[in-house]
Amino acid sequence: MEWVSLFVAGLFEVVGVVGMNRIKRDNDVKAYLLFGIGIVFSFLCLSFAMRSLPMGTAYAIWTGIGTAGGALVGMLFFGESHDWRRILCIGMVLVAAVGLKLIS
Amino acid sequence: MNRSWIYILIGVLFEAAWVIGFKHAADPLAWLATVASLVISFYLIIIASAKLPVGTVYAVYTGLGTAGTVLAEMLLFAEPVQPAKLLLIAMLLAGVIGLKLIGGSSAAKEAEH
């Protein structure tokens, strides 16, 4: 359950980042809602996950999913660069996160 | 050393504080301190980003934050030292820092400004 919660925390972080980008672009209520809901639920899920997981591992994976997920969303939906080095970095984050889950 | 870098270093300390709080806080006062640390660390990263490129600030911040958290749990909370785990965390961190430094369109826009 804590691993699911950690993964969901990373996804909500992506929601928060999308909200932050929309605040810059649209600056409407929906953008602030996305941002608020994203970060609040992200931290709630993270704190639940960290109660049973080692904090260094949980923190690293949370940041990793948030960053790699944000980059993926940017590449798929917001026309960001598909530079092969970015794809390599996303792959490294995912492989490392899965590896951390496997050795825990 | 310019002032923004001092904000980053202090921010990283608050970052480590809230992460430790998320794991170990047990009473309302400890939770209050945890949430305060969270807000302060975000505030410091935002004001540091006003003068420095966001990608760089975030890369340094996450790098130091992760290293600090992993060190703290081994030194202060007797978490076992597992080389395989440290290697995987280093690899994950390299990916995150790479993404922040290479950037997407936002980095290009920042450069135009």
Side-chain angles (χ1 to χ4, degrees), chain A residues 38-94:
Chain A
I39 57 165
V40 167
F41 279 95
S42 179
F43 283 120
L44 284 177
C45 292
L46 176 66
S47 75
F48 174 78
M50 280 178 55
R51 288 282 138 171
S52 31
L53 294 175
M55 62 183 183
T57 305
Y59 177 79
I61 291 179
W62 173 72
T63 320
I65 295 175
T67 308
L72 263 181
V73 169
M75 284 160 70
L76 293 176
F77 302 108
F78 296 100
E80 285 183 12
S81 137
H82 288 55
D83 190 322
W84 65 271
R85 293 169 304 171
R86 302 187 78 216
I87 296 171
L88 177 72
C89 286
I90 293 172
M92 282 165 64
V93 169
L94 295 181

